Amino acid sequence: MQLVVARIGRAHGIKGEVTVEVRTDEPEQRLGPGAVLFTDPASVGPLTIETGRVHSGRLLLRFEGVADRTAAEALRNTLLIAEIDPEQLPEDEDEYYDHQLIDLDVVTEDGEEVGRITEISHLPSQDLFIVERPDGSEVMIPFVEEIVTEIDLEEQRAVIAPPPGLIDDRDARDEVADGHSASPRDDS
């Protein structure tokens, strides 16, 4: 099975190094020297990591056969993909690979069906579940502990405690109807 582990950013310096946006919690295992990675687009790879180092908080990689800035810049926005055993699980019990989460049913803590996870969006600040609702619409749910309270792989479901307005704007309208809105101004 294939797992996206990083996205190549801009070139760094003149000797073929690139910045890398890491998309794995195990960079030392997946992005070390000698690692051979598939790419998207496939025509760019596979790429073999020659060296890696951290500079100013960013991971810099150099690949075999990429010797200058021009060649490094040509790799920009390429996804790096590792081949992993489908039975392999992350080291931390509270971590999940995307393939484990895709197609999970999403329900609220009181059992209301929300939809099914169709995609995981990896943003710099947090990950988002892209959930397809039964009516075909989509909702984005932040994958944070306060909202996603349980992942049950055996039952194939994710349990959420959504704040008002996250999954249904009726919740937000109900709060306003309960007297939590501002009063109209009287200018007389």
Side-chain angles (χ1 to χ4, degrees):
M1 180 181 60
Q2 296 187 328
L3 177 72
V4 174
V5 293
R7 183 184 65 81
I8 297 175
R10 60 182 173 76
H12 179 83
I14 60 170
K15 296 182 179 177
E17 283 186 312
V18 294
T19 61
V20 176
E21 174 190 313
V22 176
R23 294 190 179 174
T24 177
D25 291 332
E26 304 163 331
E28 63 286 340
Q29 181 181 351
R30 310 269 182 228
L31 299 171
V36 178
L37 301 167
F38 296 100
T39 60
D40 182 7
S43 60
V44 175
L47 294 172
T48 301
I49 298 174
E50 187 174 289
T51 63
R53 66 186 177 105
V54 176
H55 175 71
S56 297
R58 296 208 47 117
L59 179 60
L60 302 178
L61 296 179
R62 181 174 308 144
F63 299 99
E64 290 179 6
V66 179
D68 60 30
R69 185 176 185 86
T70 303
E73 193 60 42
L75 297 174
R76 190 175 199 160
N77 292 322
T78 298
L79 295 178
L80 298 175
I81 303 166
E83 187 71 36
I84 65 164
D85 178 350
E87 301 301 314
Q88 182 181 357
L89 298 176
E91 292 175 7
D92 187 343
E93 67 183 42
D94 290 333
E95 292 177 3
Y96 303 92
Y97 291 133
D98 288 4
H99 73 273
Q100 294 175 289
L101 301 171
I102 299 292
D103 289 330
L104 291 185
D105 293 322
V106 179
V107 297
T108 62
E109 289 181 319
D110 48 352
E112 178 187 344
E113 178 186 3
V114 176
R116 183 179 53 82
I117 299 172
T118 58
E119 183 182 341
I120 312 295
S121 180
H122 300 281
L123 303 175
S125 59
Q126 67 192 14
D127 294 337
L128 292 175
F129 290 161
I130 309 301
V131 177
E132 184 177 321
R133 307 287 307 256
D135 66 6
S137 65
E138 287 186 338
V139 63
M140 292 183 276
I141 299 175
F143 187 21
V144 294
E145 193 173 319
E146 297 79 24
I147 296 173
V148 180
T149 59
E150 179 185 357
I151 299 291
D152 187 337
L153 296 178
E154 283 187 26
E155 294 293 321
Q156 287 291 291
R157 68 182 186 150
V159 179
I160 64 170
L166 178 67
I167 60 171
D168 190 352
D169 63 355
R170 286 181 308 202
D171 294 337
R173 286 194 304 264
D174 291 346
E175 273 192 16
V176 171
D178 289 342
H180 291 88
S181 63
S183 302
R185 251 177 84 184
D186 184 8
D187 287 352
S188 49

